[in-house]
Amino acid sequence: EADTCIADTAVVEVVPLDMTVADSTVVECDSVAEVVVEPVDFSLVDSVEVVEAVDNPSEIRLNWDDVNYIERNTSLGGILDVIVLGDNTEYVGYIIRNNPVSGIRFKTLDNKVHMLKWDDIVIYSRRPLDPEKSILSQSPLISTYTFAGLKPLEGLIVEQDYETGLITIETADGSVQRNSARITNITNRPNENLYTPKRKTTKRRAVY
């Protein structure tokens, strides 16, 4: 009742119910009256859906001694791999598996797969898929190469000569040559010209 009164000495017992609150009207007066507490059901959240995409995915650090081989998804990027053997045979396409021991599995542009031994490879280089654009603008990753005692370089290795040990790095300012034996670390970042970083997004759906 709307005019129910509660004296100062009255005792009210509330039985807790799951997902409920008590709905009652309290009016102070001098008499003692019985209080009836009626719970009202409600739902805080009926369902929640969360979708997240972060800029920096989790990193997994591996020791080179534990790596058996490296495989590549050939659908990524706009660059071609080029392998030149000692007899001047040239293969143009994609490295699809790189094994430090057995060699390279190479898919040429005619979709044929070739097994190439490391001892037979003289030069490894990269070419832009679209010759009208720079290789840096088409590479899915931009690398930072750290050299012993030298300033780091950001760009992409476009040629590696296994006979001389020299590498050619294409930077934003032009090509730079370095000795590959002096590389101490390589880190990669996404090419923002090709990929727009995904921001963290959260979707919530609630019913009250």
Side-chain angles (χ1 to χ4, degrees):
E1 302 289 335
D3 57 352
T4 300
C5 298
I6 304 177
D8 293 340
T9 57
V11 177
V12 178
E13 182 180 5
V14 179
V15 179
L17 298 177
D18 184 35
M19 301 296 288
T20 65
V21 293
D23 183 19
S24 63
T25 302
V26 177
V27 179
E28 292 185 359
C29 62
D30 295 333
S31 62
V32 177
E34 182 181 359
V35 177
V36 178
V37 179
E38 296 181 354
V40 178
D41 292 332
F42 75 102
S43 175
L44 283 177
V45 178
D46 180 67
S47 62
V48 175
E49 178 186 5
V50 178
V51 179
E52 292 185 343
V54 296
D55 293 341
N56 298 318
S58 300
E59 291 185 358
I60 300 176
R61 295 184 177 273
L62 303 175
N63 190 318
W64 275 115
D65 294 336
D66 299 329
V67 177
N68 185 25
Y69 62 85
I70 300 173
E71 286 190 347
R72 181 193 295 176
N73 185 340
T74 59
S75 65
L76 295 178
I79 57 177
L80 295 171
D81 297 314
V82 181
I83 298 291
V84 179
L85 305 183
D87 59 1
N88 291 324
T89 302
E90 183 180 82
Y91 295 88
V92 180
Y94 304 98
I95 296 174
I96 56 177
R97 177 178 285 196
N98 186 340
N99 188 305
V101 178
S102 61
I104 291 175
R105 183 178 295 174
F106 197 94
K107 180 186 287 187
T108 52
L109 297 180
D110 56 4
N111 289 324
K112 294 181 179 179
V113 176
H114 306 265
M115 294 300 301
L116 306 177
K117 296 181 179 180
W118 280 109
D119 292 340
D120 297 331
I121 299 174
V122 176
I123 294 176
Y124 164 63
S125 62
R126 291 164 169 160
R127 295 177 188 171
L129 189 61
D130 183 352
E132 300 297 324
K133 298 179 181 180
S134 69
I135 193 169
L136 282 182
S137 67
Q138 298 178 71
S139 174
L141 296 175
I142 303 297
S143 302
T144 298
Y145 304 96
T146 303
F147 297 85
L150 297 174
K151 184 179 179 181
L153 290 174
E154 184 177 76
L156 187 70
I157 292 180
V158 293
E159 184 173 293
Q160 186 164 0
D161 191 321
Y162 290 99
E163 291 186 332
T164 64
L166 288 178
I167 59 173
T168 302
I169 300 175
E170 186 72 26
T171 65
D173 301 329
S175 296
V176 179
Q177 275 200 335
R178 290 285 188 271
N179 191 318
S180 60
R182 302 192 67 179
I183 294 180
T184 58
N185 190 56
I186 301 175
T187 58
N188 298 311
R189 65 172 176 82
N191 186 348
E192 60 272 11
N193 295 323
L194 292 178
Y195 304 106
T196 302
K198 294 183 178 179
R199 299 299 176 185
K200 184 177 180 180
T201 59
T202 302
K203 296 180 181 179
R204 294 187 181 274
R205 181 173 64 249
V207 178
Y208 295 92

